[in-house]
Amino acid sequence: MPKRVDHAARRTEIGEALVRVAGRRGLHAVGMRDVAAEAGVSLRLVQYYFETKEKLLLYGLQQLTERFGERVAARLRAAGDHPGPRAMVEALLMAALPTDEESRTFHLLYTSYAVLAVHDPALAAQPFIKDPDAAEAALAGFLRQAQEAGLLRPGVDPGSEAIGLLAMSAGLGTSILVGQRTPDSATAVFEYHLDRIFRPDQHPAPTRQRRK
Amino acid sequence: MPKRVDHAARRTEIGEALVRVAGRRGLHAVGMRDVAAEAGVSLRLVQYYFETKEKLLLYGLQQLTERFGERVAARLRAAGDHPGPRAMVEALLMAALPTDEESRTFHLLYTSYAVLAVHDPALAAQPFIKDPDAAEAALAGFLRQAQEAGLLRPGVDPGSEAIGLLAMSAGLGTSILVGQRTPDSATAVFEYHLDRIFRPDQHPAPTRQRRK
DNA sequence: ACCATCGTGGTACGTTCGTATCACAACGTT
DNA sequence: AACGTTGTGATACGAACGTACCACGATGGT
């Protein structure tokens, strides 16, 4: 059977077009014709690779979360050079804030999908709700690790802190998105809260570099 | 000039119908015909009292925030009998969580409007972004008041805590909305975080109320 | 070399949406 | 009592949307 084009690649292209145009004009305003135009293909092609709009949206959501997961993972790897779990925690929390265009788009579309999922069983069944759970587990892990290293103030519960910090990150992200708060102020709030979780550095130690 | 019906009351009725049907099926899925049917009037009437759909949405948003503001105020008044500012803080934070149907609808629609506002200047110009600022100021006030009464742990900054708690409330609210978290678990997280802000009660004092 | 299948374009169809138009009943003012 | 304004119904219109249909070039298996 003759197959000349890479279906997966095409679907990826079109999915990225969906994310781009949805980030630019809002998910509610995007139609199949807009996606086709953005991808530089005909409407028929979008129909061909995604039979229905619902499937296109589902694929777009999946691609969005995948790409963002990779982004967060890359940030965590980049923070891996620094000593201590606090850098990890900071990297994780900062990566979720809508600071640049990509994270802004992610935050906006993720929220849009979440709103739709409230009344759309097909979207609600999608495992994109599971992503926050993974982030929460990772964050709790870092905090627990810090606690075992004696880096945390007494009385801190890693699990509750992870939930709270992640929810705070989501809330602050939305505030930034609508222009109520600046990324800098959100960062400052995070620094304050992390200072109330992590024990203060007693000695500007010579042994290891703490921050670059 | 003959005027036989109360325009304001009619607009309120239709606006409430909008909020109801939008809460039931999602804001993206509501059309003028749906609002008309929900309000039990003809499509023409909705057109008559709100010339355009945009104005209807704007009015619905305004009404939504007003009603919710009153709800929060009522909760705060109800908590006024309790001693100490912590009850106030708890009342404020809990009121924002989507626990019952009304607060669920509010949370869902507010988020929907916020998403739309990102690309709709008319919505963004609406002062509904100001409401969180008011809540933040009130919350910071309660915390500052508690601090002056010596009820807070050392090193707590009322302003940063207010921002963080409110963002946390928004984030937890969304989690509850999409079914990721239960209201009870969100409440528990709040209790934990408030325990890390407020000084523990040394003496389970007798029934002496300190503030009215 | 043929042909079934894949990939692609163009376009039409049915629906739904927001809005506009026409008609008319009801009441207050003069 | 007549009239003009107001409130209301029914319906029409144009646009946009998702989807379906039809046609055809290209290509690989046999």
Side-chain angles (χ1 to χ4, degrees), chain A residues 2-4 7 10 42 44-45 48-49:
Chain A
K3 177 201 280 183
R4 313 194 292 291
H7 267 221
R10 271 273 207 232
S42 73
R44 180 65 181 86
L45 264 276
Y48 183 71
Y49 290 101

Side-chain angles (χ1 to χ4, degrees), chain A residues 27 38 87 97 108 161 184 195:
Chain A
L27 187 61
E38 174 74 21
L97 286 186
L108 174 67
E161 292 290 352
D184 281 349
D195 281 343

Side-chain angles (χ1 to χ4, degrees), chain A residues 12-212:
Chain A
T12 301
E13 279 180 39
I14 297 178
E16 285 174 354
L18 162 67
V19 170
R20 279 198 305 275
V21 67
R24 202 182 317 131
R25 297 210 282 263
L27 187 61
H28 66 283
V30 60
M32 311 216 66
R33 286 167 176 84
D34 304 289
V35 176
E38 174 74 21
V41 300
S42 73
L43 168 62
R44 180 65 181 86
L45 264 276
V46 181
Q47 275 191 266
Y48 183 71
Y49 290 101
F50 304 89
E51 322 236 325
T52 171
K53 187 188 183 183
E54 188 184 29
K55 295 182 182 172
L56 172 60
L57 289 180
L58 254 46
Y59 184 84
L61 168 60
Q62 170 188 335
Q63 188 168 300
L64 183 73
T65 54
E66 272 178 21
R67 276 206 331 207
F68 198 72
E70 293 166 6
R71 175 188 159 120
V72 174
R75 294 249 191 143
L76 283 183
R77 268 197 310 276
D81 307 330
H82 295 47
R86 172 157 178 169
M88 291 291 193
V89 172
E90 285 181 358
L92 188 61
L93 292 175
M94 298 306 179
L97 286 186
T99 51
D100 56 8
E101 205 50 41
E102 187 182 358
S103 52
R104 264 188 72 89
T105 297
F106 171 79
H107 222 284
L108 174 67
L109 295 192
Y110 192 85
T111 306
S112 301
Y113 275 115
V115 165
L116 292 183
V118 171
H119 291 102
D120 184 336
L123 271 177
Q126 215 70 4
F128 82 120
I129 315 236
K130 204 198 59 200
D131 270 6
D133 281 336
E136 181 188 316
L139 187 52
F142 291 144
L143 289 176
R144 211 165 287 121
Q145 176 179 331
Q147 192 174 46
E148 286 162 7
L151 298 176
L152 298 192
R153 293 177 185 264
V156 171
D157 174 47
S160 299
E161 292 290 352
I163 297 176
L165 285 174
L166 233 51
M168 223 172 78
S169 168
L172 289 176
T174 305
S175 300
I176 295 174
L177 214 57
V178 300
Q180 190 205 357
R181 200 171 301 283
T182 71
D184 281 349
S185 95
T187 302
V189 172
F190 265 135
E191 289 303 324
Y192 163 81
H193 279 273
L194 290 182
D195 281 343
R196 295 225 359 113
I197 294 175
F198 282 84
R199 210 187 279 278
D201 276 351
Q202 255 102 351
H203 34 68
T207 45
R208 289 183 300 195
Q209 68 175 27
R210 299 179 321 181
R211 289 172 66 81
K212 74 144 208 165

Side-chain angles (χ1 to χ4, degrees), chain B residues 75-113:
Chain B
R75 294 250 191 144
L76 282 183
R77 268 196 311 276
D81 308 329
H82 296 45
R86 173 158 177 167
M88 291 291 194
V89 172
E90 284 182 359
L92 188 60
L93 293 175
M94 298 305 179
L97 285 187
T99 52
D100 56 6
E101 206 50 41
E102 186 181 358
S103 52
R104 265 189 72 89
T105 297
F106 171 78
H107 223 282
L108 174 67
L109 296 191
Y110 192 86
T111 307
S112 301
Y113 275 115

